[in-house]
Amino acid sequence: MKNPYLPLAMRTEKIVIETDDKNIKTFSLSFLNEEDESSFNYLPGQFVQLSVLSEGEAPFGIASSPTQPGELEFTVNKIGVLTTALHNLEKGAIIGIRGPLGNCFPIEAFEGKNIVIVSGGFAFTTLRSLLKYILYEENRSKFGNVTVIYGARRPGLLLYKDELKEWEVRPDLDVHLTVDRADDGWRGKVGVVPNVIKEVAPSPENAYTVVCGPPIMIKLTLPVLRQLGFPPERIILSLEMKMKCGIGMCGRCNIGNKYVCKDGPIFTLAHLNELSGEYKPGGRNFETKK
Amino acid sequence: MKEMKIAKNELVSFLDSLISEYKVFAPVKRDGFVVFQEIYSGSEALLVYANSKKPPKEILFPQSEVLFTYRLGGEGLGIEEPTFKDKQMVIFGIRPCDAKSLVILDDIFNSQVYKDVYYIAKREKTLVIAIGCNRPSSTCFCTSLGGGPFSPDGSDLLLVDIDHEYVVQAVTEKGKQFLKKHSEFKKVEEHSLSLMRSVIETAGVLIKSKVETGEIKKKLDVMFDDPFWDWLHEKCLDCAVCTYLCPTCHCFDITDEALDQRGERVRIWDSCAFPMFTLEASGVNPRPTSKERTRQRIMHKFKYFVDNHDMAACVGCGRCIKECPVNLDIRTVLNSILNR
Amino acid sequence: MPDTSVMIRDTAKKLLVEKRVDLIIGFERGTLPLRSTPCFVRRSVEAEKLIWNASCENNLARYLRKRKEKVGIVAKGCDTRSIISLIKEKQVAREQVFIIGVPCHGMIDRRKIEAKLDGREILEADEVSEKVILKGHDFTEIVAKEEFLHNSCNTCNYRNPVIYDVLIGDKVEENRGIDEYGEVKEFEAQSADRRWQSFTNEVSKCIRCYACRNACPLCYCQECFVDSSQPRWIGKTTNLSDTSIFHIVRAFHTAGRCVDCGACDRACPMGIDIRKLTKKIEKDVKELFHYQAGVNLEDVPPLATFNLGDPQEFIK
């Protein structure tokens, strides 16, 4: 019987500082044992529990794509005990990992469809996994048009800047970057994500949209997407909640009768609306019922 | 169901003989109240008692449990897993409500997808011998939750006290095999069986406390935003008496207890009543006040758990009723829900 | 003289009808024998359910903080002392609270009665003046209330409310001839080893449910030290090292603030003698700083003063 609480050992191969405030770093990890690597099969949207022994464990979405074998990447925002411990690590440090946990983006359903990726700030991590997965040479033709609308408070807080540059010039990708406050040299849009969605007005025709961002962005974005004609069944969200076990036992991450760790973290808006009204970003229901 | 009997005056020596072979847990009196503890002599076991202060769930799901130990500074993570080489165990004298709680805990820790090896390792080695309740307490409402003072759910063997002897019912195959193996169990006469039936019947009548739980779930299905929750929590202290003493509550925290270069990862009970339970590192708390937390406790037990497991996460043992420091009585809560 | 419950009801109704308060916090009948339960009354018709008896053991001052509305509160002597502490610590404004003071003869410790009955369940309990009539499946027993009071009631010197806006009924006679610190002195007289042994014996029962902390009107830290994660002061287990630190630090944090209402003791499901520590600290504060918490609104708490003449013998 596999012990679901035992972390596997990974070595920190690379640490990249993502943002100009140095609060967000991306860690590239490789498995210490080969058999661990071969048994770790994941898809975009899934998460893991990362351990720094003596400091504890916390959940992180996987930021890399399974199409880049041999390494796993996690983007970590320094905010609490464990994230601070991670930020203090240096290259070569050993980190514990449990997973992959949770469900993944409905990739099979995405096939043959146009995909609109909407994200704000730090929440872009698992969407980067999805994007890399879609853009992978052998996968790209399975999906239709891909639109990315990604914003941050200011340019220095955007993640994966080198990749964003590459993506902006790709002909098979429609990228719209936006910031709340521009600085010198910013050539993207200025304005909050919901407004940029209105401006870009992606077509709901044959499309799915995937939304990850801070609660206030979600709250303001959902009405815009609904107005554009995206049905709740085609609006995909990735949720966050405090987690401990990651396997639906410790009892804290439920929204109604579903556990974000086990039944999520990926839900359709339609599904969330069916659940009891517990998840209310910005203190309000996803959709005000008429 | 196969019945045997054991004379009361043979019980102590029978327990003594079990102790040589098994780790035996039984109710004992300590510090003025009853708890389940490992006993080293059959005479330690308390045979007449209402119920234990702390539920026997802690035998299989202890309040603090080491998941693994680690030593920093070596190769890899330096993790050492426990051996899971526990002795075979007997839980003797558990009440039927608490035995039923094990069925509920099984569903959590032995789920189809994930296996909690710590719980399962102990559970698989455990034989559950329950003693039915000839005289249930006024706070017992097990019959409202599909149980009863002699309900066999969760037990391998069920003892019925008929004054001078116990009639022993084998509930599971494991229980049957156990009966066969131990010569202390004797053939039972029809007279004893009829006494047993009358004891069971009388006890059922003694349960006066009843709640129509069948209707609760339907009510709760549409009550998430009901103003009911605005005042229900008002006297609640947000302490964990009800959840820690509940035989079915199973929420836990995981924490590292470090000492220099070594430490333990420990699983400890946690409670939905605590603000820390859902407080995120960012400072966001999806259940910020007592209102949301009280709602979560009731909803989890009587709606969400029913949705997911087709049974309520309550066995009607009455511990939360007896021990709540402010007398927030779950039966009153449930009846108020029915009246919404 | 009319019944105390009736007088409380009438007062509550009047206060609500005249809109002098928005809410009355009092007691109503509980669901078990010897149990009353806190209740919150906002409409005058609901005031009918208010009661008073010897099982109104909870300290309702615990519910006073962070309220916007004007509150009427039913308060025993000890509860009014807690209210004074809260007022001094600026957690409650005096003018926001209407204190319905109720003189108290002491509250019944049902666990002591249960211990006497040795497992026989009480199904009915009636208070008749100084006695309680207990009925069970096949017994009736009559016991004297005063033999089964909470420990804190036995040593109480403030049976009458210290401050109030209205007093229900007549004042009662204060306890006479009791040595408030008798048990503490016995404890002090023991060797350090014995004291440590008896302390660890008590806290080893702790299940970290925090009922003691949460029932205490003065345990209101926005973040209790046990909950802090940055830094983490204390482990979360029930190991003796963790439970000891919890109880020791909590006790110290009540120094000069604790009014010995006994709410912690009453809330503890495991019967831990929490007062052993807090009462000792209360005695020390009284002896060293001549201060007793919650006996008037004027004295400045020792932790809020600086005095060159402070005794400092403990600094070695």
Side-chain angles (χ1 to χ4, degrees):
Chain A
M1 209 185 300
K2 192 173 166 252
N3 185 341
Y5 297 103
L6 281 192
L8 308 173
M10 296 196 85
R11 186 188 298 109
T12 313
E13 302 292 353
K14 200 169 98 183
I15 302 172
V16 174
I17 298 172
E18 294 285 351
T19 53
D20 59 7
D21 63 2
K22 299 190 169 61
N23 262 329
I24 302 181
K25 289 182 181 177
T26 296
F27 296 78
S28 297
L29 310 177
S30 68
F31 282 101
L32 235 54
N33 302 314
E34 267 175 40
E35 58 269 36
D36 290 348
E37 184 182 337
S38 56
S39 67
F40 191 95
N41 298 308
Y42 72 99
L43 283 168
Q46 288 193 284
F47 71 98
V48 303
Q49 287 278 359
L50 291 185
S51 282
V52 177
L53 293 179
S54 291
E55 301 293 342
E57 228 182 11
F60 296 91
I62 306 175
S64 53
S65 158
T67 52
Q68 44 180 125
E71 60 171 351
L72 289 177
E73 289 178 330
F74 301 95
T75 301
V76 177
N77 188 10
K78 190 167 112 181
I79 197 157
V81 176
L82 191 84
T83 50
T84 304
L86 283 168
H87 269 244
N88 291 340
L89 295 179
E90 286 170 11
K91 192 181 155 183
I94 306 296
I95 293 177
I97 183 170
R98 288 200 289 131
L101 300 166
N103 64 357
C104 58
F105 290 115
I107 286 170
E108 279 180 28
F110 286 176
E111 288 185 12
K113 302 286 191 301
N114 301 326
I115 310 293
V116 181
I117 288 173
V118 177
S119 186
F122 165 66
F124 192 49
T125 60
T126 54
L127 291 179
R128 179 226 196 192
S129 170
L130 175 66
L131 196 53
K132 289 184 97 158
Y133 182 88
I134 292 172
L135 295 178
Y136 182 60
E137 229 177 305
E138 286 171 29
N139 289 344
R140 183 64 190 93
S141 59
K142 294 183 202 159
F143 304 92
N145 300 329
V146 178
T147 307
V148 177
I149 298 166
Y150 174 41
R153 272 178 290 140
R154 49 192 168 77
L157 294 181
L158 288 165
L159 305 181
Y160 318 122
K161 294 185 189 67
D162 291 342
E163 286 172 343
L164 291 178
K165 266 182 217 151
E166 282 172 35
W167 292 335
E168 277 191 292
V169 296
R170 270 183 85 124
D172 60 346
L173 191 60
D174 185 18
V175 179
H176 303 270
L177 302 180
T178 181
V179 293
D180 297 356
R181 274 176 291 120
D183 57 13
D184 293 342
W186 176 251
R187 281 166 305 162
K189 295 179 190 306
V190 177
V192 296
V193 166
N195 290 346
V196 175
I197 305 172
K198 270 187 218 162
E199 190 189 317
V200 174
S203 164
E205 205 65 37
N206 195 38
Y208 271 92
T209 176
V210 193
V211 186
C212 287
I216 184 68
M217 187 204 93
I218 305 266
K219 182 180 155 190
L220 299 173
T221 293
L222 292 175
V224 176
L225 290 170
R226 296 288 287 119
Q227 240 169 15
L228 286 171
F230 284 92
E233 295 76 21
R234 295 276 183 97
I235 299 176
I236 313 292
L237 295 141
S238 177
L239 302 192
E240 271 187 358
M241 217 157 158
K242 184 170 179 172
M243 293 173 190
K244 287 289 176 176
C245 70
I247 55 177
M249 293 180 185
C250 80
R252 76 197 64 225
C253 71
N254 66 302
I255 290 173
N257 59 19
K258 298 292 176 210
Y259 288 92
V260 173
C261 69
K262 181 170 68 82
D263 305 302
I266 314 298
F267 295 93
T268 64
L269 179 57
H271 193 177
L272 285 175
N273 283 341
E274 276 169 33
L275 296 175
S276 68
E278 181 149 19
Y279 190 70
K280 294 171 184 175
R284 212 184 285 166
N285 237 324
F286 274 107
E287 284 192 294
T288 320
K289 292 205 175 85
K290 280 164 200 160
Chain B
M1 199 184 290
K2 195 167 173 258
E3 281 103 358
M4 302 283 274
K5 69 170 190 184
I6 184 165
K8 273 191 174 171
N9 57 17
E10 281 176 37
L11 202 66
V12 170
S13 60
F14 167 65
L15 285 173
D16 282 334
S17 73
L18 282 187
I19 287 166
S20 60
E21 201 181 333
Y22 299 86
K23 203 170 173 174
V24 178
F25 289 86
V28 298
K29 206 157 187 179
R30 196 194 69 187
D31 298 322
F33 46 81
V34 180
V35 284
F36 275 83
Q37 265 183 0
E38 186 175 0
I39 56 165
Y40 301 94
S41 152
S43 57
E44 287 178 61
L46 209 59
L47 298 173
V48 181
Y49 76 107
N51 206 348
S52 59
K53 172 85 82 171
K54 287 167 87 181
K57 75 175 175 188
E58 65 176 335
I59 300 167
L60 302 172
F61 172 50
Q63 182 157 10
S64 315
E65 178 166 36
V66 175
L67 298 178
F68 55 80
T69 58
Y70 60 83
R71 187 172 279 279
L72 303 175
E75 280 279 298
L77 289 166
I79 284 176
E80 201 171 320
E81 211 185 344
T83 57
F84 300 108
K85 278 183 186 151
D86 296 289
K87 230 171 140 181
Q88 295 284 324
M89 298 198 290
V90 168
I91 303 178
F92 177 84
I94 190 173
R95 292 300 185 196
C97 53
D98 291 337
K100 186 164 184 261
S101 79
L102 302 182
V103 177
I104 290 169
L105 296 179
D106 288 347
D107 243 28
I108 295 290
F109 292 122
N110 199 355
S111 80
Q112 281 180 343
V113 191
Y114 293 107
K115 305 287 177 191
D116 189 289
V117 290
Y118 302 87
Y119 176 88
I120 294 171
K122 290 189 275 283
R123 178 69 165 117
E124 281 177 345
K125 287 180 186 152
T126 303
L127 184 90
V128 180
I129 307 179
I131 302 182
C133 309
N134 293 40
R135 176 164 279 175
S137 300
S138 64
T139 45
C140 295
F141 64 115
C142 51
T143 52
S144 298
L145 289 137
F150 290 89
S151 160
D153 292 350
S155 304
D156 295 304
L157 294 169
L158 175 64
L159 271 55
V160 185
D161 181 342
I162 54 163
D163 201 23
H164 58 294
E165 62 190 21
Y166 289 104
V167 175
V168 187
Q169 302 179 346
V171 181
T172 60
E173 190 51 40
K174 202 170 167 182
K176 256 183 217 160
Q177 295 306 324
F178 184 87
L179 278 191
K180 265 191 209 155
K181 217 175 95 184
H182 293 271
S183 58
E184 290 89 344
F185 297 108
K186 303 282 187 321
K187 210 166 155 272
V188 63
E189 305 82 15
E190 178 50 39
H191 170 68
S192 297
L193 289 177
S194 89
L195 269 175
M196 173 191 84
R197 283 188 287 269
S198 100
V199 162
I200 293 176
E201 199 178 322
T202 311
V205 177
L206 284 173
I207 303 251
K208 298 267 192 313
S209 197
K210 290 201 170 74
V211 182
E212 292 300 325
T213 51
E215 296 298 308
I216 296 277
K217 152 90 167 94
K218 258 188 264 170
K219 293 274 186 180
L220 288 177
D221 277 344
V222 293
M223 268 183 71
F224 190 87
D225 290 313
D226 197 289
F228 173 74
W229 309 108
D230 293 339
W231 55 265
L232 176 68
H233 66 93
E234 209 159 18
K235 65 182 169 189
C236 176
L237 299 178
D238 298 339
C239 74
V241 169
C242 53
T243 49
Y244 281 4
L245 297 185
C246 173
T248 75
C249 274
H250 52 269
C251 290
F252 60 83
D253 192 1
I254 298 175
T255 176
D256 287 3
E257 298 291 333
L259 193 74
D260 298 332
Q261 289 299 296
R262 60 200 166 80
E264 296 170 338
R265 178 154 294 172
V266 189
R267 180 235 299 274
I268 39 178
W269 292 353
D270 205 347
S271 173
C272 58
F274 295 149
M276 298 299 294
F277 189 60
T278 48
L279 178 69
E280 292 162 19
S282 61
V284 170
N285 193 344
R287 295 183 200 125
T289 73
S290 189
K291 170 186 164 179
E292 292 85 15
R293 298 193 286 269
T294 308
R295 176 172 60 196
Q296 165 66 14
R297 171 171 170 250
I298 303 297
M299 282 284 192
H300 188 203
K301 288 191 170 300
F302 298 99
K303 171 176 157 51
Y304 306 151
F305 205 86
V306 183
D307 284 337
N308 293 334
H309 302 271
D310 213 18
M311 55 183 161
C314 172
V315 292
C317 72
R319 283 186 183 86
C320 59
I321 302 169
K322 274 189 222 149
E323 303 296 341
C324 175
V326 294
N327 188 227
L328 182 51
D329 189 323
I330 188 95
R331 295 168 302 180
T332 315
V333 174
L334 295 175
N335 282 321
S336 313
I337 290 169
L338 286 174
N339 290 330
R340 293 302 287 181
Chain C
M1 193 178 77
D3 177 75
T4 309
S5 300
V6 174
M7 286 193 282
I8 291 174
R9 276 171 218 153
D10 290 346
T11 307
K13 269 182 238 169
K14 195 158 174 280
L15 288 170
L16 286 165
V17 168
E18 291 172 1
K19 299 209 186 310
R20 293 172 68 188
V21 302
D22 309 298
L23 163 72
I24 299 278
I25 307 178
F27 291 94
E28 67 181 309
R29 203 186 148 86
T31 61
L32 302 174
L34 300 174
R35 291 303 313 256
S36 297
T37 183
C39 78
F40 300 77
V41 173
R42 292 188 169 81
R43 293 183 304 149
S44 58
V45 285
E46 290 170 356
E48 264 324 300
K49 63 185 182 185
L50 290 165
I51 58 148
W52 185 258
N53 59 35
S55 66
C56 296
E57 62 169 33
N58 302 102
N59 187 338
L60 302 180
R62 190 257 172 220
Y63 300 109
L64 276 184
R65 289 179 60 250
K66 288 187 175 171
R67 289 200 179 270
K68 291 189 182 73
E69 67 270 59
K70 180 130 197 220
V71 187
I73 182 168
V74 175
K76 309 179 278 291
C78 52
D79 306 345
T80 60
R81 291 182 63 193
S82 300
I83 297 171
I84 289 178
S85 277
L86 287 170
I87 291 170
K88 283 189 187 177
E89 295 180 13
K90 307 240 183 317
Q91 295 303 313
V92 172
R94 177 67 186 93
E95 57 279 8
Q96 200 193 346
V97 193
F98 189 99
I99 301 169
I100 305 166
V102 189
C104 168
H105 287 95
M107 291 293 149
I108 293 173
D109 185 342
R110 64 185 179 284
R111 291 198 188 109
K112 285 185 185 165
I113 295 187
E114 281 162 10
K116 179 190 156 72
L117 294 175
D118 196 26
R120 289 177 298 162
E121 193 189 12
I122 307 165
L123 296 176
E124 230 182 284
D126 285 314
E127 284 179 41
V128 182
S129 64
E130 306 303 305
K131 310 263 184 224
V132 190
I133 303 165
L134 306 163
K135 287 183 189 151
H137 274 296
D138 32 44
F139 70 90
T140 301
E141 285 214 20
I142 300 174
V143 299
K145 265 190 221 173
E146 61 172 7
E147 287 172 34
F148 296 93
L149 298 183
H150 283 290
N151 291 344
S152 54
C153 300
N154 286 331
T155 60
C156 170
N157 281 319
Y158 293 89
R159 292 180 146 198
N160 292 299
V162 182
I163 51 167
Y164 50 83
D165 296 289
V166 63
L167 190 71
I168 302 292
D170 299 327
K171 287 196 174 179
V172 299
E173 206 176 319
E174 292 294 350
N175 273 326
R176 270 177 213 282
I178 48 142
D179 183 357
E180 189 180 351
Y181 300 110
E183 273 190 58
V184 176
K185 286 176 191 160
E186 270 174 44
F187 189 56
E188 286 169 337
Q190 291 169 8
S191 68
D193 284 349
R194 274 286 297 282
R195 291 203 301 269
W196 181 248
Q197 199 188 354
S198 86
F199 167 71
T200 51
N201 189 41
E202 286 301 312
V203 298
S204 65
K205 294 183 245 172
C206 180
I207 57 169
R208 303 282 296 266
C209 69
Y210 301 133
C212 51
R213 176 191 73 181
N214 294 9
C216 175
L218 292 161
C219 257
Y220 58 75
C221 289
Q222 193 160 354
E223 187 185 53
C224 178
F225 78 103
V226 300
D227 290 332
S228 163
S229 59
Q230 285 181 306
R232 210 174 113 183
W233 304 106
I234 173 177
K236 294 180 174 182
T237 72
T238 45
N239 294 342
L240 193 56
S241 56
D242 288 335
T243 53
S244 301
I245 291 176
F246 166 56
H247 286 282
I248 291 169
V249 176
R250 197 190 89 84
F252 271 121
H253 205 184
T254 68
R257 310 168 62 229
C258 172
V259 302
D260 193 27
C261 68
C264 49
D265 256 28
R266 297 169 195 189
C268 178
M270 309 311 287
I272 300 172
D273 184 5
I274 301 168
R275 283 180 65 245
K276 184 142 279 163
L277 281 188
T278 50
K279 190 74 184 164
K280 158 74 176 147
I281 292 174
E282 199 227 290
K283 176 172 174 277
D284 286 351
V285 170
K286 197 173 179 183
E287 287 170 358
L288 293 167
F289 304 99
H290 314 293
Y291 180 84
Q292 209 175 0
V295 295
N296 61 49
L297 280 167
E298 292 77 34
D299 294 353
V300 184
L303 286 170
T305 60
F306 175 74
N307 182 349
L308 281 173
D310 269 351
Q312 296 185 344
E313 289 96 352
F314 56 92
I315 302 173
K316 296 259 157 72

